[in-house]
Amino acid sequence: MGPVIAFIVMYQLVDVPDPTALAASEGQPVTLYYSDGSVLGTESGVAGSHELVTWDQIPQTMKNAQMAAEDETFMTNSGFDLKAIVRTVLNRFGGGTGGGSTIGQEYVKNATGNDQPTFSRKAVEMVQSYKMTRTYTKQDILTAYLNTVYFGRNAYGIKAAAQAYFGEDVSKLTTEQSALLAGLVQLPGYANNTAYQQQRYNYVMGRLLANHWITQAEFSSATFPTPKANTGTGATTGQDAPDRQYLMDAVMNELNEKGQSAQSLSRSGAKIYTTISPAAQTDAEQSVAKIMASDKEYPDEGAALVSADPATGGVLSYYGGDGSTSYDLAMTPEQPGSSFKPYVFAAGLANDPSEIGLNTVYDGSDNQNIDGQLVHNSDGEGAPQITVKDAMTKSVNTVFYRMGAQVGVDAVRQAAWDAGIPKQITSSLGASTFDSLQNDDPKTGQGTGTTELGISIGQYPVRPFDQAQGYATFANDGKYIPLHFVSKVTDGSGNQLYGFTDSAKQAFSSDATTNETIARTVTASMTDVASSSSDGLRGDRPNAAKTGTAQYQNSGHNSEAWMVGYTPQVVTAVWFGNKKQPAPIYGNYKNGVGKEHGYDVYGREEPGYIWQDYMNTYLAGKPAEQFPGIPESSTQPTETPTSSAPSSESATPTTDTPTTTATSSSRHDHEPSDTPTCLVDCTSTTETSTSRHGDVGAGTGGSQ
């Protein structure tokens, strides 16, 4: 009788949310601030966010789509689904999350702003939803929900969403458009992710068919309704720059992952204080524009830049593109090529420190058969006897491929995860999450459970943001601290709603000295890369960096190019490639070797020049700091070949960039030498489902 009595008492006490009042509270301006307190921009609802539409103005296809997406029994249930609630309770006792809400419950949650994952909240929400069904008709409830729910893109309510995604009046929405919009309500923070859009559209269309709300013929003839470009209509910035929208979206997505939804922030008129330096942000935008200005004849080429303070994890500047794409290039996974090699070395130092060190000698000659795979170098930079330090500087693929074989792919994955590469990613079809750095099935988007040795030369895609995170851990003496955009959030009255409080964690070893040794040794391996690639910093400022390039299929041209590096004060990752699809990339800015116009871009060129220009500008006037030395107590192998090198299978060195022969859709070919003399290059693949404009979740990162 206890639950029954509690239900009756709560029924008498709870209020039913007023849809008109809720609509008025949505879409209040949210202000974002730079680290110095000046205004970065504002987020506000798009046109129509406060305009309510009537039941008759909403097409039946939209009503059906929303029920198909969230609550198929809406028209007949009592405001809650008891079976779904029981499933949710059992799921939560088993450590799971979510599930079990009807449209009525979701409306109550939106109205109250209470999204705490507690049973007490769920119980009150259930009673309020039940009372709504006794107070209003089903038509009233669904209309209220569609008038106030958040669809992403700063669009509160279906009228605003129709405009934000399709530039249409709500009454003109098609079945396909309705299906997409209804699906986006589940995770509006992913509303601009093309793979997620497709996955949710497919799901809702399938449920419409299953419920006989569309015919088989309508289902079969339907086509995906591509939304218009995200112009950020509901956001304004101090400079009204289109590229700033990626930054502002990244800030809002970070807060959403921390439990601060866009709805709740808007409702409170939140003030968001970011770590972004206004001077550094301007430096980043100007450096990209300076180098990219030479490549205007290649309009589909673009760049991304992420820069952060490795000691605090605060992002200093962020450039996700020029505003011409619906996706953020800094959050788009791409093949890292040789810029992944520092994680291979970290794995070697962590797992085989008696054999692998800075001065360990390997056979770095070309055309070696390693673990059944023919591995190439590029431009003759290899040698039968070469130290790890020189192999990193010259980007000798055979050395790091063999090192990866020596320690194993699992150790390489773990070192990358420890440094901060996200461990969990979302499948390319948006259906599920799985461990990163493995092959995926192009048909299902699921991980196959197989990781190949090509990981050692950058086979698996990562985001520019991830690379900034991983290298920040090296720069911070092996201490992982999450890169973040937000320092704190307050409501309109100054009450703090959120604050960044994560502390640094040892990434590679629980022993502080060992952990420090690994990070400092990796840093020492990269101190000559930038200068050898003509990308060194002004005044010979000490830096550690690594270039990377990935080849476009087997064309001999490149599709991705990277420069990632740091000083003790700042870490910066730069990616350069085609904005829309994997394609050859060419440059006109400056080529140290070969033709001056239309040259194949390697990491040392466009991305290297952007990195160099930004770092020089940002660091101007700041002291030139030295990297700390490797602890004397650590044991470093002397110049003695490891047991796995030299290899009798190796050939005379002729080139230095790998052009391994791939035998599947995964990528383990061709990774370039990143020295100025490199002419041929790097990793290629036919697997594009996760490497281009797919999904990557925030992941756990670090040593978590």
Side-chain angles (χ1 to χ4, degrees):
M1 291 296 294
V4 174
I5 294 172
F7 189 96
I8 294 172
V9 171
M10 281 191 288
Y11 185 90
Q12 302 300 320
L13 296 177
V14 298
D15 295 321
V16 176
D18 179 357
T20 303
L22 177 58
S25 70
E26 301 281 19
Q28 291 189 57
V30 173
T31 308
L32 288 74
Y33 297 91
Y34 285 112
S35 58
D36 66 355
S38 60
V39 174
L40 165 60
T42 59
E43 289 277 356
S44 59
V46 299
S49 288
H50 295 287
E51 297 179 30
L52 304 184
V53 292
T54 66
W55 174 263
D56 292 336
Q57 290 174 312
I58 304 171
Q60 188 61 44
T61 55
M62 185 66 222
K63 301 165 189 171
N64 292 342
Q66 205 65 56
M67 290 187 288
E70 298 189 272
D71 188 0
E72 295 174 356
T73 65
F74 171 75
M75 297 304 293
T76 57
N77 65 42
S78 299
F80 58 88
D81 184 336
L82 191 57
K83 291 182 179 180
I85 290 173
V86 171
R87 285 197 304 270
T88 300
V89 171
L90 295 175
N91 185 38
R92 295 218 173 154
F93 274 126
T97 60
S101 293
T102 62
I103 284 177
Q105 289 172 279
E106 286 296 314
Y107 172 71
V108 169
K109 182 174 67 176
N110 292 341
T112 60
N114 186 357
D115 194 20
Q116 296 299 312
T118 61
F119 291 118
S120 60
R121 189 270 295 177
K122 203 73 175 176
V124 173
E125 182 183 280
M126 181 179 69
V127 175
Q128 285 179 296
S129 180
Y130 177 76
K131 190 171 184 177
M132 280 190 67
T133 65
R134 300 301 191 196
T135 307
Y136 296 105
T137 67
K138 289 289 187 176
Q139 292 182 356
D140 291 334
I141 297 171
L142 184 55
T143 302
Y145 181 70
L146 286 170
N147 269 319
T148 55
V149 71
Y150 184 57
F151 289 88
R153 291 195 180 184
N154 303 303
Y156 297 87
I158 188 59
K159 183 177 180 66
Q163 284 293 325
Y165 289 91
F166 301 110
E168 287 282 8
D169 181 81
V170 62
S171 63
K172 297 181 180 179
L173 288 174
T174 66
T175 298
E176 292 91 336
Q177 291 171 335
S178 298
L180 175 58
L181 291 178
L184 297 179
V185 168
Q186 182 190 57
L187 290 173
Y190 284 83
N192 291 319
N193 185 292
T194 53
Y196 180 72
Q197 290 174 352
Q198 184 72 59
Q199 189 269 333
R200 291 299 293 163
Y201 165 78
N202 290 340
Y203 171 78
V204 176
M205 288 296 291
R207 298 316 304 164
L208 284 169
L209 177 64
N211 283 280
H212 307 291
W213 286 325
I214 60 173
T215 66
Q216 181 64 54
E218 289 172 323
F219 178 83
S220 300
S221 63
T223 58
F224 179 76
T226 304
K228 68 177 185 176
N230 180 24
T231 58
T233 306
T236 59
T237 69
Q239 298 180 14
D240 199 27
D243 55 83
R244 296 285 174 90
Q245 187 61 45
Y246 301 120
L247 168 58
M248 296 175 71
D249 285 348
V251 170
M252 299 302 286
N253 287 339
E254 177 179 295
L255 287 173
N256 186 64
E257 290 170 1
K258 298 295 184 180
Q260 301 291 324
S261 69
Q263 299 99 307
S264 64
L265 292 170
S266 175
R267 203 170 290 128
S268 65
K271 297 181 178 181
I272 302 171
Y273 297 89
T274 76
T275 60
I276 300 295
S277 160
Q281 184 64 27
T282 299
D283 292 342
E285 292 165 355
Q286 291 180 346
S287 292
V288 173
K290 175 182 176 180
I291 278 68
M292 295 297 293
S294 299
D295 299 335
K296 289 183 178 179
E297 68 179 273
Y298 313 114
D300 287 340
E301 292 183 348
L305 183 153
V306 181
S307 184
D309 180 344
T312 66
V315 178
L316 298 168
S317 61
Y318 186 87
Y319 183 87
D322 60 8
S324 63
T325 59
S326 62
Y327 41 84
D328 177 347
L329 296 175
M331 292 293 184
T332 299
E334 309 285 358
Q335 279 188 290
S338 288
S339 66
F340 203 82
K341 289 175 180 174
Y343 307 119
V344 183
F345 189 28
L349 293 167
N351 290 274
D352 199 359
S354 63
E355 291 288 331
I356 299 174
L358 198 63
N359 296 315
T360 302
V361 176
Y362 277 86
D363 177 2
S365 53
D366 190 28
N367 295 327
Q368 294 188 47
N369 191 303
I370 303 173
D371 201 40
Q373 180 68 54
L374 182 62
V375 185
H376 300 282
N377 295 324
S378 172
D379 203 35
E381 293 293 343
Q385 298 278 297
I386 190 170
T387 66
V388 171
K389 164 81 171 181
D390 288 342
M392 187 71 79
T393 301
K394 298 177 179 181
S395 203
V396 179
N397 298 310
T398 50
V399 168
F400 292 96
Y401 206 93
R402 186 170 294 282
M403 189 184 295
Q406 188 174 342
V407 300
V409 294
D410 288 341
V412 175
R413 291 175 86 198
Q414 189 62 56
W417 291 338
D418 289 343
I421 301 299
K423 182 174 182 180
Q424 289 288 305
I425 63 174
T426 304
S427 75
S428 58
L429 300 181
S432 62
T433 60
F434 58 90
D435 283 351
S436 64
L437 305 176
Q438 63 170 297
N439 295 349
D440 68 351
D441 184 337
K443 294 181 179 179
T444 65
Q446 302 292 318
T448 64
T450 300
T451 297
E452 301 179 21
L453 262 176
I455 189 176
S456 303
I457 53 175
Q459 173 174 332
Y460 299 102
V462 296
R463 304 173 299 180
F465 186 86
D466 302 335
Q467 286 291 69
Q469 173 72 82
Y471 279 55
T473 301
F474 293 133
N476 197 32
D477 270 352
K479 293 185 285 293
Y480 164 81
I481 185 167
L483 293 195
H484 58 281
F485 296 93
V486 181
S487 57
K488 69 174 183 178
V489 180
T490 67
D491 63 18
S493 301
N495 301 308
Q496 184 161 317
L497 303 175
Y498 166 79
F500 179 81
T501 58
D502 291 32
S503 57
K505 299 177 181 179
Q506 292 180 175
F508 306 109
S509 173
S510 58
D511 179 76
T513 300
T514 300
N515 183 65
E516 190 177 82
T517 297
I518 292 171
R520 292 185 181 183
T521 305
V522 172
T523 293
S525 74
M526 295 189 285
T527 54
D528 293 337
V529 172
S531 58
S532 72
S533 300
S534 300
D535 296 320
L537 300 183
R538 190 177 297 132
D540 293 327
R541 182 187 290 267
N543 68 87
K546 188 70 192 79
T547 47
T549 316
Q551 190 178 66
Y552 177 62
Q553 298 178 359
N554 292 314
S555 67
H557 301 293
N558 306 324
S559 61
E560 327 280 349
W562 298 73
M563 180 66 159
V564 191
Y566 51 91
T567 69
Q569 300 107 311
V570 60
V571 58
T572 302
V574 178
W575 169 87
F576 178 89
N578 188 287
K579 293 182 292 186
K580 299 180 179 179
Q581 60 189 347
I585 50 177
Y586 306 104
N588 299 325
Y589 184 75
K590 183 172 61 175
N591 186 16
V593 176
K595 59 183 180 180
E596 296 181 1
H597 182 84
Y599 52 79
D600 290 305
V601 173
Y602 289 81
R604 66 177 181 269
E605 286 144 352
E606 261 70 348
Y609 299 141
I610 292 172
W611 181 87
Q612 181 185 52
D613 189 83
Y614 169 78
M615 294 287 278
N616 279 334
T617 305
Y618 175 79
L619 291 166
K622 296 179 175 65
E625 296 184 12
Q626 301 292 324
F627 290 115
I630 300 171
E632 294 182 2
S633 60
S634 66
T635 302
Q636 288 288 309
T638 58
E639 294 187 12
T640 304
T642 64
S643 59
S644 59
S647 167
S648 60
E649 300 170 316
S650 64
T652 304
T654 56
T655 57
D656 169 79
T657 310
T659 9
T660 64
T661 54
T663 58
S664 71
S665 64
S666 61
R667 31 195 125 195
H668 61 330
D669 338 323
H670 337 297
E671 190 29 34
S673 159
D674 297 302
T675 60
T677 54
C678 169
L679 297 177
V680 252
D681 180 74
C682 83
T683 25
S684 73
T685 181
T686 58
E687 175 193 357
T688 59
S689 60
T690 56
S691 66
R692 173 65 60 169
H693 314 322
D695 294 341
V696 172
T700 55
S703 55
Q704 299 174 345

